[in-house]
């Protein structure tokens, strides 16, 4: 069980970090596109928010499983 919790925690932390990096990439695109359509801005903003929420949720799951494993 400890090994499974470690694997789930590790994967959760890695995918959460990647999702947060992807959110930062979309944020950079949202604020630095100089001439884009309204659809492009809406799409970048929506992707930024979705990736941020998914990243936070996955990171919390990863941290929780690591804490449970440590006990």
């Amino acid at each position: 069980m400890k090994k499974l919790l470690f694997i789930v925690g590790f994967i959760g932390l890695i995918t959460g970090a990647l999702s947060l990096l992807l959110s930062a990439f979309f944020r950079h695109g949202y604020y630095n596109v100089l001439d884009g359509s309204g659809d492009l801005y809406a799409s970048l903003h929506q992707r930024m928010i979705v990736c941020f929420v998914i990243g936070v949720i996955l990171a919390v799951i990863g941290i929780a499983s690591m804490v449970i494993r440590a006990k």
Side-chain angles (χ1 to χ4, degrees), residues 14-50:
I14 295 298
T15 55
L18 288 175
S19 182
L20 289 173
L21 285 173
L22 193 58
S23 174
F25 175 72
F26 288 131
R27 183 181 189 275
H28 177 73
Y30 179 76
Y31 285 109
N32 290 315
V33 170
L34 297 177
D35 188 23
S37 65
D39 291 337
L40 176 66
Y41 284 106
S43 173
L44 287 172
H45 187 264
Q46 182 181 10
R47 289 177 187 171
M48 175 181 65
I49 298 298
V50 168

Side-chain angles (χ1 to χ4, degrees), residues 53-65:
V53 170
I54 289 173
V56 168
I57 290 171
L58 287 172
V60 167
I61 289 172
I63 290 170
S65 62

